[in-house]
Amino acid sequence: MSGKLYLCATPIGNLGDVSSRCLEVFGFVDLIAAEDTRRTLQLLNHFEVSKPLTSYHEHNKHEKGGYIISLLKNGKNVALVSDAGTPAISDPGEDLVKLCIENDIEVTSIPGPVAGINALILSGLPTRRFAFEGFLSVNKRHRREHLESVKNDTHTLIFYEAPHKLRNTIDDMQKTFGGERRIALVRELTKLHEEVKRCTLSEAAQFYKDNSPRGEYVIVVEGAAEAVEPEKNEWEDIPLREHIDKYIAEGMTSKEAIKQAAADRNLPKREVYNEYHRGDN
C-alpha cells in the first residue's frame, strides 16, 4: 500500500502561525521534503521536532521527484514544505503533486499561511475576483509580454517579486497598466515590521527612486476597469420607415414624425429625411 504526500503550509514569518495539525503531521511522517532544509530545520528545532530532511527544489526536482515517489510507493509518508507558506504555489511542489497523481498516490493538504491571499485581503482592492500571476520572468521581453497579456484583465492581480527586481517591475507595470492604476505593495507579512504601501503605480515608481526595496514583496494590482456597454437605443430594432409611420399614425405630420424619429435615434434630421424618402424614388 502506498504512503501519502502531505502538503504542509508553514509560517511566512511568525512561527506562531504554524498549525497544530501541521506539527502533528511532522511527527508521524517518515520524511520531510523541504525547499530550503536550513530554514525548515530552524522551524523543526523551534518546536523540538526531530525528523529526517531531504531537499526538494527547482534545481533537483527531477532527480528528487523520482526518489520521493519511490518512497511513497513503498508505503512511506512524506511531508512537503516550501521555503515559507503553502507549497505547490509558484514552487516545484506543483510538479511533485502531478507525479503523485500520475502514480495513483494520495495527496492531501494541511492548510495554513499563503502570502498572496494575506496580501490581497490587506490591500483594500476588490477581493471577489482575483488572479494569481506569481513571479514575473527575469527576461525583460518575457516580463513585458506577461504584463501585456493581463493588461485588460478586470480581476485584481497578485504578483510575487524579489527586492532586487522590484524597481524594474514597477516601471514595466506603469508603462503597461498606466500610472493611475492602484496597487498595494506588501512586505514582511506577519513579522514585526509588516508594511502595506497603498498607492498608484506612478507614486510607487517615484517612491522607489529614493528608497531601496527591502524584503520579499507581494504586489497586488487593481484590475482594469470594466468595459461600459453603450446603452442600446430602444428604436434600433425597428425599421426607420416603421418608426416614422408609427408617429404619423398617431397624428403627427410627416415633418414632425421625421424630426421626432431623428431625435429618438440620435441621427441628423436630414439623414432620416433622405432615408425615409429614398423608397419614394
Side-chain angles (χ1 to χ4, degrees):
M1 184 177 177
S2 297
K4 186 186 291 189
L5 178 69
Y6 294 83
L7 306 174
C8 294
T10 53
I12 54 180
N14 192 318
L15 293 182
D17 291 335
V18 71
S19 71
S20 58
R21 188 173 171 217
C22 179
L23 294 177
E24 180 184 340
V25 169
F26 286 166
F28 69 70
V29 294
D30 299 287
L31 178 72
I32 297 175
E35 189 175 13
D36 185 338
T37 54
R38 293 166 302 178
R39 182 159 182 167
T40 301
L41 185 59
Q42 291 174 351
L43 177 67
L44 297 179
N45 287 340
H46 180 83
F47 289 101
E48 299 181 345
V49 176
S50 178
K51 191 63 57 173
L53 282 171
T54 190
S55 65
Y56 177 81
H57 49 70
E58 186 63 34
H59 304 295
N60 71 357
K61 64 182 181 182
H62 299 297
E63 169 198 344
K64 280 295 180 73
Y67 167 67
I68 293 170
I69 291 297
S70 67
L71 291 178
L72 290 162
K73 281 184 172 180
N74 286 311
K76 302 295 185 183
N77 292 309
V78 177
L80 177 70
V81 300
S82 67
D83 181 34
T86 299
I89 297 178
S90 280
D91 78 20
E94 175 185 1
D95 298 274
L96 188 56
V97 171
K98 289 179 182 176
L99 279 176
C100 285
I101 293 170
E102 290 167 4
N103 287 275
D104 294 320
I105 294 168
E106 188 176 355
V107 182
T108 191
S109 171
I110 311 301
V114 182
I117 297 300
N118 279 272
L120 173 66
I121 61 177
L122 289 173
S123 70
L125 295 172
T127 61
R128 186 174 65 86
R129 300 178 68 203
F130 59 89
F132 177 74
E133 297 296 328
F135 288 97
L136 291 165
S137 173
V138 295
N139 180 284
K140 188 173 184 178
R141 180 172 65 84
H142 292 164
R143 185 169 69 246
R144 289 187 173 177
E145 286 175 352
H146 185 161
L147 293 174
E148 194 65 37
S149 73
V150 296
K151 176 181 179 179
N152 297 316
D153 195 330
T154 57
H155 297 71
T156 300
L157 305 173
I158 303 171
F159 298 88
Y160 287 166
E161 195 53 280
H164 65 280
K165 291 166 51 186
L166 185 73
R167 283 174 172 150
N168 288 337
T169 294
I170 293 297
D171 285 343
D172 285 344
M173 284 182 172
Q174 183 179 10
K175 290 171 184 174
T176 306
F177 300 150
E180 295 310 303
R181 190 81 72 94
R182 292 183 298 156
I183 66 167
L185 297 117
V186 187
R187 68 181 192 91
E188 299 293 292
L189 270 166
T190 76
K191 299 177 185 177
L192 181 63
H193 299 293
E194 177 178 283
E195 180 182 67
V196 183
K197 183 171 182 59
R198 303 175 183 90
C199 58
T200 63
L201 276 166
S202 60
E203 289 168 342
Q206 185 60 47
F207 178 82
Y208 286 108
K209 282 182 180 178
D210 305 318
N211 297 273
S212 298
R214 295 180 180 178
E216 299 296 319
Y217 285 80
V218 182
I219 308 173
V220 186
V221 183
E222 178 182 29
E226 296 272 1
V228 179
E229 289 282 339
E231 191 173 331
K232 186 174 180 179
N233 191 308
E234 61 180 302
W235 298 101
E236 282 181 10
D237 298 327
I238 300 176
L240 179 61
R241 178 169 288 275
E242 182 181 327
H243 187 173
I244 295 171
D245 287 343
K246 174 182 178 295
Y247 283 136
I248 293 174
E250 292 174 356
M252 287 187 182
T253 65
S254 61
K255 182 178 180 181
E256 291 170 336
I258 288 170
K259 182 179 180 181
Q260 185 58 52
D264 291 342
R265 293 172 178 258
N266 296 314
L267 294 172
K269 187 170 68 172
R270 173 58 59 183
E271 182 180 327
V272 174
Y273 176 89
N274 291 339
E275 181 66 27
Y276 182 69
H277 288 289
R278 185 170 293 140
D280 299 335
N281 299 327

